[in-house]
Amino acid sequence: MQVREKGRIVKPHGTRRGRGRPRAFDRAAALAKAMDVFWAKGYDGASLAELTDAMGINPPSLYAAFGSKEALFLEAVRIYSAREGGPDWDAVLDASSAREGIARLLEESAIAFTQRGKPRGCMIALGALHDTGENTSVCAKLRACRAENLAKLRQRLERAVAEGEIPGTVDCDAVASFYLSVQHGMSILARDGASRTTLLAVARAAMDAWTSLTSPRTGEHDAGADVRPKRGR
Amino acid sequence: MQVREKGRIVKPHGTRRGRGRPRAFDRAAALAKAMDVFWAKGYDGASLAELTDAMGINPPSLYAAFGSKEALFLEAVRIYSAREGGPDWDAVLDASSAREGIARLLEESAIAFTQRGKPRGCMIALGALHDTGENTSVCAKLRACRAENLAKLRQRLERAVAEGEIPGTVDCDAVASFYLSVQHGMSILARDGASRTTLLAVARAAMDAWTSLTSPRTGEHDAGADVRPKRGR
DNA sequence: GAATTTTTGTAGCTATTGATATAAAATCAT
DNA sequence: ATGATTTTATATCAATAGCTACAAAAATTC
């Protein structure tokens, strides 16, 4: 369990132990507390004072154990994606059908976004939406997470095409974008106080589009829904 | 055109003119510039330095003309809702049918969220999602705007019920929440770089759920989509 | 032109931001 | 026990946050 390798730090921060004074706090517990603060306030909105207060430690301990506010946030995102927070995308999407996988994803999201005693909505979706110049890497990280989720949806749909669940005429990228859009929107609804029942209804409504979205005829659109944009550019 | 009435300020700030040195900048143009900064960076992410720089004025001029950063933001939200930015909800929803109204709303949103030279996504949806204690009133204002939009959607659906367009068994609140969720999610997709084409496809996909959502049988759900939540609480 | 009123730019205010220097305290290795 | 090592708490750093005091400048009114 060596810490360094060829002079480069392998493990992030504060993972090595041994000789000196032992750490007086539980690193994992402190990280979990920090995650809650970031989840509730976002990356920029969470101040060091709030973080250290919630974690029950002082700034030097935070920096010794995690490196920086940014590194702490990235670790918080990691455990959020893995354990707490949103659903396990891989596990949920691995259902026997794409339809059931996506339905479960939305329902698990509705549940995760309305946990009692936890911040509402998704930390990945809401954690850092505005690039201020200082949080650029954090914004990029979350954006990459969302892009990865979009890819997982698209790949699951492509697998459904390959398995014959849905026809090959389906625009997997568009359908994936639609369901990701619903999932993201649910985060904002949850932030605004929407109940779990409401979010589950939203999830169910989104699945009502499944049959139409995956019907053979795609690429042509029915008349009557024609709209001419007014403020187009 | 009096400014004060019974000692209370009627017009916000900087609207009165007359005797002293004339203002050297265009208040409306400066407000438009400020709106762009708030739109791109959010309320907290937009610093006074960025605002004054974009507006081409100094801090004292900003405070004399607008009162405070918060008041400036609220004015920016007002003109965003009225002219720039998102679609005119009242006008768009006043289509001959609820279906067409909502379809147009989503399409106009897709267009508004991907304007060249403008920040991506919706200022109302993304402007201030995290309550940090200092921005509470701003968060509440945007939340109220979103709640108002939800109400407009619901009322348009209720009108559709009254007019016989859709059956009375439709859960107007759930359907409204669904479409608002899609609209909000489109803002995040736009922030992540989704093209106008993609957002229009999302809008169309959402409308594919219309027939199912507004079919007579509601309240009962088809089997096969049964899901048992794993991490429920 | 003189008095009044308002805006302008400079410069600076207090508070808070993320991040550290320092030395005492607590452990392991010898 | 002694020395080496690491964490602790206090106090503080420079930078920036939102905001304002001040006096010169530019207009109206008398």
Side-chain angles (χ1 to χ4, degrees), chain A residues 16-22:
Chain A
R16 75 273 178 233
R17 310 304 305 279
R19 275 185 281 284
R21 174 173 175 173

Side-chain angles (χ1 to χ4, degrees), chain B residues 76-88:
Chain B
V77 168
R78 214 164 295 137
I79 69 164
Y80 175 90
S81 301
R83 291 186 278 133
E84 319 280 349
D88 185 336

Side-chain angles (χ1 to χ4, degrees), chain A residues 182-221:
Chain A
V182 172
Q183 209 246 0
H184 287 165
M186 283 167 56
S187 278
I188 298 181
L189 288 192
R191 267 296 148 107
D192 285 350
S195 69
R196 176 172 293 182
T197 302
T198 296
L199 292 191
L200 287 172
V202 169
R204 206 180 314 115
M207 294 315 298
D208 279 350
W210 179 266
T211 304
S212 306
L213 287 174
T214 57
S215 64
R217 47 158 184 71
T218 308
E220 51 174 332
H221 309 299

Side-chain angles (χ1 to χ4, degrees), chain A residues 136-155:
Chain A
T136 301
S137 61
V138 163
C139 278
K141 169 64 179 175
L142 291 186
R143 197 177 311 126
C145 288
R146 295 190 292 266
E148 191 181 346
N149 288 341
L150 177 64
K152 285 176 180 174
L153 278 174
R154 188 183 60 241
Q155 287 161 7

Side-chain angles (χ1 to χ4, degrees), chain A residues 26 32 51 65 70 79 90 100 125 130 145 150 170 177 180 208 218 223:
Chain A
D26 183 345
L51 288 166
E70 176 181 327
I79 69 164
D90 293 315
E100 183 180 335
H130 300 291
C145 288
L150 177 64
V170 171
S177 292
L180 187 63
D208 279 350
T218 308

Side-chain angles (χ1 to χ4, degrees), chain A residues 21 26 28 35 47 54 68 116 118 120 130 160 174 176 187 205 233:
Chain A
R21 174 173 175 173
D26 183 345
M35 185 196 72
S47 68
S68 67
R116 193 176 300 274
K118 289 288 180 183
R120 320 272 295 190
H130 300 291
S187 278
R233 179 179 293 273

